[in-house]
Amino acid sequence: MMTSDAAEPVAVAPAADAGSTKPTIAAESAAAAPAAAASVPTHLWTRNTKRAFWSPSIYAPSLPYECGGAREYNIYLLYALIALIPYMIKRVLGLSLGSYIVLTAILAPLIGALSLLAHSWIVSTPTEQICALPNEPLESYMTILDKELKAKYHGSNKIPMEEFFESYFNGDIDLTGDALKIFEQRYDWAFFPITLNVAKFFFLQWIPELLWHSKKQDETQVRDHYDRGDDFYQAFLGDRMVYTSGLVGDLNKRETLEELQDNKMRDVCELMQMRAGDRHLDIGCGWGTLAAFAARNYGTESVGITLGRNQTAFGNARAAKWGVGDSAKIMCMDYRDIPRRPRYHRITCLEMAEHVGVRKFQEFLLQVRDMLEDDGLFYMQIAGLRGAWQYEDFSWGLFMAKYIFPGADASCPLNWVVAQLESAGFEVRSTSTIGVHYSVTLGRWYENWMRNKEQILASYGKRWFRIWEIFLAWSIIIARQGSSTCYQILAHKNRNAFDRTALMRPPMGFGMPSGAPQ
């Protein structure tokens, strides 16, 4: 596993006062730590208490800055605009009340979109910050090669994030150092408005894809993406070829990517109580690693489903190599074509349900319920955005939709996902948020990608290298700070006869002294 300066945890202390201009390393925190914690790394950042990013696995922030968003957006003003603008048109044109209602329904989405667009350009920075910006000139972070672009953005003039990454991909900007380090300082050189290009992509591509989600559309998107070449993905996914979040198992050491992924696969299999002979279906199995892992370690009869041709060939070859070719089968088909009988004891779906889409999500869950045995378990790991959004979240989300995961429009807050499951007849047994685990996983992917830079440049060119460089560096931060996270959800059919006692566990701390007087 490659190591680099970017992998080192970096930290800052809070700004001393409003006039402070640069964050400082909180070395004083180390001196305040107990002697027993001498082995704990001293890279700390704090607010009012001494809390350490002490795990060597974590990519700690160097500039944890807040962006404007939902808290600054006045929803009541929006409601007033939606009511008043159509009413003014009604008065001018002399329309009837019925026409006013229809006009309001038509104009409401447009008014909402335009208000968000305008607000993203004028929103003020939240005052509740724990650190100050370094206020370095733009040239400290990048070299702008395009003359027109350089005339617009220089010195203290910040560049819109969308304009930055498009220019970087096109070769009009070079970075002055490591992408992760520079993105940790992004609020010093960028801001996050909804630009014209972002709006055009949202209305002309993202919305139509959300509304359609045909088999042909999904097949085209998946194959354009995942059949690019196994060497492309192996350059950052490593030997396991698992394109989902791993789990940190030991906070006291820096686990490898392979350890993180093995931790996750064991966690899924144990949570699902997999047993020898269980019929296991993995929907959106990628390169088939979980299906082969479950068959080899738990004796399941596993079937993995993917639309990727390369993934199918790789997964079946891996299963054969692991000695489970007869009990782990990878099939190339659309999830809608999966045979529904015989039913499955265990169904897993790791970070594929986002691609089903919002419009098809309930239909998908009803299909899963129909394929699941009455006493079976369903595990879904799904990426989602936070409800208390910031404008950076929008910028990152639409970047991902355009370049990394097209069609993954069902990345929603947890409450929406749970409501969908319950409406489909599931009972949600447990949920867990693993965004920080995802940040660690993305960090390992980033290190691999940078280590294999020359190979990628030779095979796929500078543009593809830079797209994934920014995706991985930015996403390390996004997952860590909660802009987007990942949920682990265990569910079963909500039937009266389901044996819920089989899933009971003792409470945390059970058996420990209560401290209560006897």
Side-chain angles (χ1 to χ4, degrees):
M1 182 65 60
M2 170 187 162
T3 58
S4 69
D5 290 342
E8 290 298 320
V10 183
V12 299
D17 53 57
S20 177
T21 59
K22 293 191 179 184
T24 57
I25 300 297
E28 69 277 7
S29 298
S39 61
V40 175
T42 58
H43 307 289
L44 313 175
W45 69 268
T46 66
R47 184 167 186 171
N48 297 317
T49 59
K50 307 299 183 185
R51 292 180 62 103
F53 267 80
W54 57 268
S55 172
S57 275
I58 306 301
Y59 298 80
S62 60
L63 192 68
Y65 208 72
E66 302 294 327
C67 182
R71 290 199 303 169
E72 291 74 29
Y73 185 73
N74 192 326
I75 194 70
Y76 299 107
L77 177 59
L78 173 62
Y79 293 154
L81 291 172
I82 290 173
L84 288 174
I85 292 175
Y87 180 75
M88 292 169 63
I89 296 173
K90 171 186 176 297
R91 289 290 302 271
V92 170
L93 300 181
L95 301 177
S96 66
L97 178 61
S99 298
Y100 166 71
I101 294 172
V102 172
L103 184 63
T104 301
I106 293 172
L107 291 181
L110 179 61
I111 295 170
L114 290 175
S115 70
L116 273 175
L117 190 153
H119 188 252
S120 72
W121 284 89
I122 64 173
V123 62
S124 58
T125 301
T127 57
E128 297 177 3
Q129 304 290 350
I130 68 168
C131 56
L133 296 176
N135 291 322
E136 296 287 346
L138 193 72
E139 292 77 11
S140 298
Y141 303 103
M142 65 192 70
T143 301
I144 299 180
L145 306 176
D146 181 83
K147 291 182 179 179
E148 291 185 10
L149 198 66
K150 189 172 184 178
K152 290 169 62 179
Y153 306 113
H154 54 84
S156 61
N157 296 335
K158 295 182 180 181
I159 184 171
M161 180 58 81
E162 182 270 340
E163 193 166 359
F164 159 75
F165 63 67
E166 293 291 354
S167 300
Y168 183 60
F169 299 158
N170 291 333
D172 294 329
I173 290 177
D174 287 338
L175 297 179
T176 59
D178 176 76
L180 177 55
K181 285 186 174 181
I182 288 172
F183 260 75
E184 290 284 9
Q185 307 288 315
R186 66 204 176 283
Y187 281 95
D188 202 35
W189 53 266
F191 68 120
F192 302 91
I194 300 173
T195 64
L196 180 60
N197 286 335
V198 170
K200 284 168 59 179
F201 170 78
F202 181 78
F203 285 109
L204 301 182
Q205 185 172 333
W206 192 86
I207 290 292
E209 289 177 352
L210 178 148
L211 296 174
W212 195 244
H213 265 291
S214 66
K215 286 185 180 180
K216 185 62 179 176
Q217 173 192 316
D218 292 349
E219 177 184 304
T220 299
Q221 288 178 333
V222 167
R223 289 181 178 165
D224 283 350
H225 188 74
Y226 292 107
D227 284 345
R228 183 172 302 132
D230 287 342
D231 61 329
F232 182 92
Y233 290 96
Q234 199 155 23
F236 65 96
L237 298 180
D239 178 67
R240 294 295 186 272
M241 291 291 278
V242 179
Y243 204 0
T244 57
S245 176
L247 292 178
V248 176
D250 187 348
L251 290 172
N252 295 302
K253 74 171 189 176
R254 194 175 191 278
E255 293 171 297
T256 66
L257 176 59
E258 289 68 32
E259 288 173 318
L260 297 174
Q261 295 296 2
D262 288 351
N263 292 342
K264 187 267 302 296
M265 290 187 287
R266 277 192 299 270
D267 185 72
V268 172
C269 292
E270 291 292 330
L271 191 64
M272 293 286 280
Q273 300 182 3
M274 289 188 179
R275 299 182 295 267
D278 279 350
R279 289 189 299 278
H280 165 223
L281 172 65
D282 189 25
I283 306 174
C285 68
W287 287 268
T289 309
L290 177 60
F293 183 93
R296 183 171 69 168
N297 294 286
Y298 291 84
T300 59
E301 298 293 325
S302 294
V303 176
I305 302 297
T306 178
L307 275 171
R309 295 191 183 98
N310 290 357
Q311 292 179 329
T312 302
F314 184 99
N316 283 320
R318 162 113 66 167
K321 181 180 178 181
W322 284 6
V324 290
D326 293 334
S327 53
K329 303 287 188 183
I330 310 303
M331 303 176 68
C332 187
M333 65 170 63
D334 190 281
Y335 73 88
R336 286 160 280 206
D337 297 327
I338 300 172
R340 300 197 180 196
R341 299 293 182 275
R343 286 180 166 143
Y344 294 90
H345 302 103
R346 304 288 185 264
I347 298 180
T348 53
C349 181
L350 279 69
E351 299 178 40
M352 172 272 179
E354 303 92 320
H355 295 270
V356 168
V358 169
R359 193 173 73 84
K360 300 280 189 178
F361 205 79
Q362 185 65 201
E363 182 182 324
F364 166 71
L365 293 177
L366 289 170
Q367 177 186 343
V368 170
R369 190 179 190 280
D370 184 49
M371 295 189 295
L372 186 65
E373 292 281 8
D374 286 348
D375 62 349
L377 295 175
F378 174 43
Y379 173 92
M380 181 163 61
Q381 185 167 304
I382 184 169
L385 301 173
R386 58 183 168 189
W389 51 267
Q390 298 180 12
Y391 282 107
E392 181 182 9
D393 306 354
F394 285 171
S395 183
W396 177 85
L398 291 171
F399 158 75
M400 295 289 287
K402 183 175 182 179
Y403 286 109
I404 310 300
F405 296 126
D409 56 76
S411 298
C412 297
L414 180 60
N415 63 337
W416 183 87
V417 180
V418 170
Q420 291 290 314
L421 282 160
E422 291 178 340
S423 295
F426 285 99
E427 178 179 315
V428 173
R429 188 66 186 188
S430 66
T431 66
S432 182
T433 301
I434 58 170
V436 177
H437 297 268
Y438 218 148
S439 176
V440 174
T441 306
L442 284 155
R444 304 297 190 271
W445 292 347
Y446 175 75
E447 291 171 11
N448 281 350
W449 188 250
M450 299 308 292
R451 182 182 63 187
N452 292 304
K453 178 178 180 178
E454 296 306 319
Q455 170 197 328
I456 295 299
L457 288 173
S459 300
Y460 294 94
K462 181 187 288 188
R463 181 175 175 83
W464 277 116
F465 171 80
R466 286 187 167 191
I467 289 173
W468 249 252
E469 177 190 24
I470 296 305
F471 151 51
L472 295 171
W474 197 5
S475 297
I476 292 170
I477 302 164
I478 289 291
R480 185 190 64 215
Q481 72 184 17
S483 297
S484 176
T485 189
C486 194
Y487 309 113
Q488 293 179 313
I489 302 173
L490 179 65
H492 56 76
K493 291 183 178 181
N494 196 345
R495 294 174 56 87
N496 294 349
F498 185 88
D499 182 11
R500 290 162 174 80
T501 63
L503 298 174
M504 292 179 69
R505 62 165 182 82
M508 294 180 67
F510 178 74
M512 295 175 63
S514 66
Q518 301 299 318

